[in-house]
Structures are given as C-alpha cells and as structure tokens.
Amino acid sequence: MAESKKNLCAMIPVELHDRVRAEQEQAGLTLSVYITDLLTKYYERGSEKTMEGMRTMAFQMPEEMFLRLKKLLERESARTGKKVSQKEFVLGLVQRALDQAEREEAEPDADVG
C-alpha cells in the first residue's frame, strides 16, 4: 500500500526560500524529499540538537568597518544572484585562513639546509 501524503504550503521569506532551494539542489533531491528529510530530522532530534557540535563566536567591530562590510555583502549578493550572509562571509574567511595556515604548516621548510 502506498504511503499517504498531504500537501504543506507556507509563505516564507525570499532569502530563506533561496537558501532552501540552493541546498535542495546541491543535495540532488526533489523538494518533497528534501523537505521531508529536513522536517523528519528536526522532529526526531529536536531543534536543540541541530546545534550540536557548534560553538558561538561573537565580536564587535567599528561602525565604519561594519558599514563597509554590509556594502560588500550587498555587492556580492548582487554579483552572485544569491544573498550572502554575514555568517557565510565570516565563516568563509575563517575557513580560508585555517586552510592556508594548515598548508603552510604541512610544507617542508625551504630554509632548512
């Protein structure tokens, strides 16, 4: 017997819709399968557990720098056609810095004779 199904429709912010669709496409799943999986995981593990293994980092910056950052994010969002969030941007910077530091650490020292 086929599993019974029911439609679920809700208005959500455009930015969230774009993010969901991008993640769904990247996962290579139909929207129905992706949302079912997302909701199932949420209700089985609870919203608290989705943050498991995560740590919060918060910091302040000068207002001038913050405004420059916002302008950069707006330009990047316009250039890429997808909203670039502060979190995504900062995590990208941190990831690149960590990757570079690890590559440099792994390289044999060229000055050793």
Side-chain angles (χ1 to χ4, degrees):
M1 184 168 142
E3 181 182 15
S4 62
K5 297 189 177 204
K6 193 163 186 170
N7 188 35
L8 177 65
C9 183
M11 298 296 290
I12 60 175
V14 172
E15 295 83 13
L16 180 57
H17 179 274
D18 293 346
R19 182 175 173 194
V20 167
R21 291 305 296 232
E23 294 287 332
Q24 171 247 323
E25 289 172 12
Q26 184 177 10
L29 303 172
T30 66
L31 183 58
S32 179
V33 170
Y34 181 76
I35 295 297
T36 299
D37 186 51
L38 196 65
L39 291 171
T40 300
K41 286 178 182 173
Y42 176 83
Y43 282 110
E44 285 178 355
R45 293 187 293 176
S47 61
E48 312 265 324
K49 292 191 178 185
T50 60
M51 297 302 286
E52 201 170 289
M54 300 293 281
R55 300 292 300 260
T56 298
M57 175 186 272
F59 55 90
Q60 293 183 324
M61 65 173 59
E63 185 171 1
E64 179 187 346
M65 184 185 292
F66 180 78
L67 295 174
R68 289 173 59 204
L69 174 60
K70 294 298 268 185
K71 285 181 183 178
L72 173 65
L73 295 176
E74 288 172 11
R75 286 193 307 270
E76 279 300 297
S77 295
R79 185 183 68 79
T80 62
K82 123 181 177 21
K83 184 174 185 341
V84 179
S85 69
Q86 291 176 39
K87 176 183 173 182
E88 179 182 23
F89 181 77
V90 172
L91 286 176
L93 291 175
V94 171
Q95 186 65 58
R96 283 191 295 277
L98 291 171
D99 291 347
Q100 180 180 348
E102 289 167 359
R103 276 193 308 274
E104 290 171 0
E105 188 175 283
E107 291 175 359
D109 205 341
D111 294 334
V112 174

